[in-house]
Amino acid sequence: MSSIGVWNSISPLLGGVGIASMVVSFLVSIFYNTILSWVLWYFFHSFQEPLPWSQCPLNANRTGYDLECEKSTPVNYFWYRETLNITPDINISGSVQWWLVICLASAWLVVYICFIKGIESMGKAVYVTATFPYLVLTIFLIRALTLPGATDGLVYLFTPDWNILKNPQVWLDAATQIFFSLSVAFGGLIAFSSYNPEKNNCERDAVIVGVINSATSLYASISIFSILGFKATNVFNSCREENILELTNHFEMPDQNMTLENYDDRFDYLNATFPERVASLSLRDCDLQTFLDQSASGTGLAFIVFTEAVIEMPGSQVWAILFFVMLFSLGLSSMFGNIEGVLTPIKDLKLLPKWMPHEVATAIICLISFLTALIFTLGSGNYWVEVFNGYVGSVPLLIIAFFEITAVIYIHGMKK
């Protein structure tokens, strides 16, 4: 039974809660699988040597590097120009990017294959998609903790910033993340749980899943922030090396007179002795905390910050392949819940004829989703993903969950 059937059985007036869950699951599936298509695109390019986002492409005359890329960075250029080919704003649609259409079709084909036999085939796929990310995270954790700057990243992770914590948007993002990772209010969880035996201990399962979910978030964050600390340290050192070169040339100091190790002491001495001359130089302001604050979130974290950090790691191809396989596994397991939250309600509502096989029904849903998601393969596609992510996957889930809790407590009754 789906979310619609469950809420109808509590009260016929609550069927709309189930329909709302189905609509949200459908809309989230559309943009979520688009992110998986981006992951596939990066995964296919991770086998190149060197990685395509590690250096700028040559210009049309092949006399130098692409000017747009040189003004930005190779990582930004590969993401915004070669992957998204993004337009200046959402009002300019741009053309359909054929490479993204192929990746999107591939992502939906994988989802369909996993759903061919319904819960039976998907249950087997979950064994891989749920356990493989833990293996990759453990490998990343061991590697990340040995990188220079990992400690700075961990200190940054566990040091609370009270100004950020006062921002209500942060708590909305946190609530949305928990709803996403626990599949609360999507309807897919209700559909899955309807296959449980009647004597199943649901309370125990709820506690176990909640604890494992939070523990996994913490476990993943240690790996991620260790690598972000490593990246920030590299940028910090590069910044100081530029200043060292500027100061060494200006004051005609011998090489190795000023190094990263004695930079602060030597800079303080020069600044105290020749303040006007130092002030006249175009030195960069190198602050490790600032570089740590520049760590992105969401798609920026996966496709810009993390890919940039991977370049600096020895054997970057291996780490890139592992990272994107892990992302695809995580996204695929999320898609299972979302699609189940659409398929089962459609059967409950009897929108499709009884004679239609499950495989055909699933194919129709996946095809409709794929065709709708073509809007995300336009030049303005990334803007539309942000719109869907900001408005579909946050407040609607909170509203649905509020009505679900109210219905269980006051209509169904807590004691029942």
Side-chain angles (χ1 to χ4, degrees):
M1 188 179 282
S2 73
S3 52
I4 295 175
V6 166
W7 296 113
N8 270 332
S9 67
I10 293 177
S11 170
L13 298 173
L14 293 173
V17 175
I19 293 173
S21 293
M22 180 184 74
V23 172
V24 168
S25 291
F26 175 70
L27 294 174
V28 168
S29 299
I30 292 170
F31 84 82
Y32 206 90
N33 222 28
T34 303
I35 297 172
L36 291 193
S37 70
W38 297 340
V39 171
L40 283 177
W41 169 255
Y42 269 80
F43 171 72
F44 295 146
H45 282 81
S46 296
F47 292 91
Q48 295 183 26
E49 169 63 47
L51 291 170
W53 56 84
S54 62
Q55 57 189 31
C56 288
L58 295 173
N59 58 25
N61 301 326
R62 307 189 75 80
T63 54
Y65 291 115
D66 186 277
L67 186 61
E68 185 183 7
C69 180
E70 284 192 317
K71 287 182 177 179
S72 180
T73 64
V75 173
N76 284 339
Y77 183 84
F78 186 82
W79 170 237
Y80 288 112
R81 187 57 59 220
E82 296 197 12
T83 302
L84 302 175
N85 196 19
I86 200 165
T87 56
D89 60 63
I90 197 169
N91 295 314
I92 304 170
S93 295
S95 58
V96 171
Q97 317 302 324
W98 61 266
W99 56 91
L100 290 182
V101 175
I102 293 171
C103 290
L104 185 65
S106 303
W108 276 109
L109 184 62
V110 171
V111 170
Y112 174 66
I113 290 169
C114 293
F115 263 90
I116 280 180
K117 295 291 182 185
I119 197 99
E120 182 185 339
S121 59
M122 191 185 56
K124 292 170 183 172
V126 165
Y127 281 113
V128 177
T129 60
T131 55
F132 181 74
Y134 283 101
L135 174 64
V136 177
L137 275 176
T138 304
I139 295 170
F140 265 107
L141 180 65
I142 295 167
R143 180 71 185 98
L145 291 175
T146 62
L147 294 170
T151 309
D152 295 314
L154 292 178
V155 169
Y156 182 76
L157 167 63
F158 291 109
T159 305
D161 186 329
W162 300 112
N163 289 326
I164 291 177
L165 290 173
K166 290 175 187 174
N167 183 358
Q169 183 63 41
V170 171
W171 294 98
L172 180 62
D173 290 343
T176 304
Q177 172 58 29
I178 284 291
F179 274 57
F180 258 87
S181 56
L182 288 175
S183 291
V184 175
F186 278 101
L189 209 59
I190 291 175
F192 286 145
S193 63
S194 69
Y195 291 90
N196 272 332
E198 288 186 26
K199 297 290 184 184
N200 184 66
N201 189 338
C202 294
E203 186 179 355
R204 180 201 61 200
D205 288 354
V207 172
I208 291 172
V209 170
V211 169
I212 290 176
N213 179 67
S214 296
T216 301
S217 297
L218 187 61
Y219 188 62
S221 66
I222 292 171
S223 313
I224 298 297
F225 274 82
S226 297
I227 292 171
L228 292 180
F230 163 69
K231 177 187 172 293
T233 300
N234 278 348
V235 176
F236 175 61
N237 288 337
S238 297
C239 175
R240 296 201 298 173
E241 282 171 354
E242 287 180 23
N243 288 353
I244 287 171
L245 186 63
E246 183 89 14
L247 289 165
T248 303
N249 291 338
H250 182 78
F251 288 98
E252 298 180 351
M253 292 187 289
D255 289 344
Q256 301 304 315
N257 184 277
M258 192 174 189
T259 62
L260 289 174
E261 287 73 26
N262 66 9
Y263 173 81
D264 291 330
D265 293 335
R266 297 292 295 158
F267 178 79
D268 290 342
Y269 169 76
L270 291 171
N271 197 32
T273 312
F274 312 102
E276 292 85 5
R277 290 175 67 183
V278 171
S280 67
L281 299 175
S282 55
L283 299 176
R284 290 180 61 189
D285 182 20
C286 302
D287 180 34
L288 182 60
Q289 187 67 30
T290 303
F291 294 127
L292 285 166
D293 287 337
Q294 289 171 353
S295 301
S297 62
T299 52
L301 174 64
F303 299 108
I304 297 176
V305 176
F306 213 85
T307 49
E308 194 168 5
V310 162
I311 296 169
E312 307 292 336
M313 296 164 70
S316 52
Q317 278 81 11
V318 177
W319 297 111
I321 290 166
L322 276 175
F323 178 64
F324 289 113
V325 169
M326 178 187 74
L327 278 190
F328 192 78
S329 299
L330 288 168
L332 197 57
S333 55
S334 297
M335 281 299 296
F336 292 158
N338 290 338
I339 295 296
E340 191 66 27
V342 177
L343 281 172
T344 318
I346 283 175
K347 289 176 188 172
D348 282 4
L349 289 171
K350 298 180 174 60
L351 295 178
L352 298 172
K354 285 186 178 180
W355 54 263
M356 184 178 287
H358 175 81
E359 293 86 349
V360 176
T362 306
I364 290 171
I365 296 300
C366 289
L367 182 61
I368 291 171
S369 301
F370 165 70
L371 293 173
T372 310
L374 287 176
I375 188 175
F376 302 123
T377 64
L378 296 169
S380 59
N382 190 44
Y383 302 119
W384 285 109
V385 168
E386 292 301 323
V387 169
F388 271 65
N389 189 30
Y391 291 97
V392 174
S394 54
V395 177
L397 291 175
L398 297 175
I399 294 170
I400 292 167
F402 172 77
F403 280 103
E404 287 182 350
I405 293 167
T406 307
V408 168
I409 294 173
Y410 295 108
I411 298 176
H412 187 64
M414 275 289 281
K415 288 181 181 177
K416 286 187 185 178

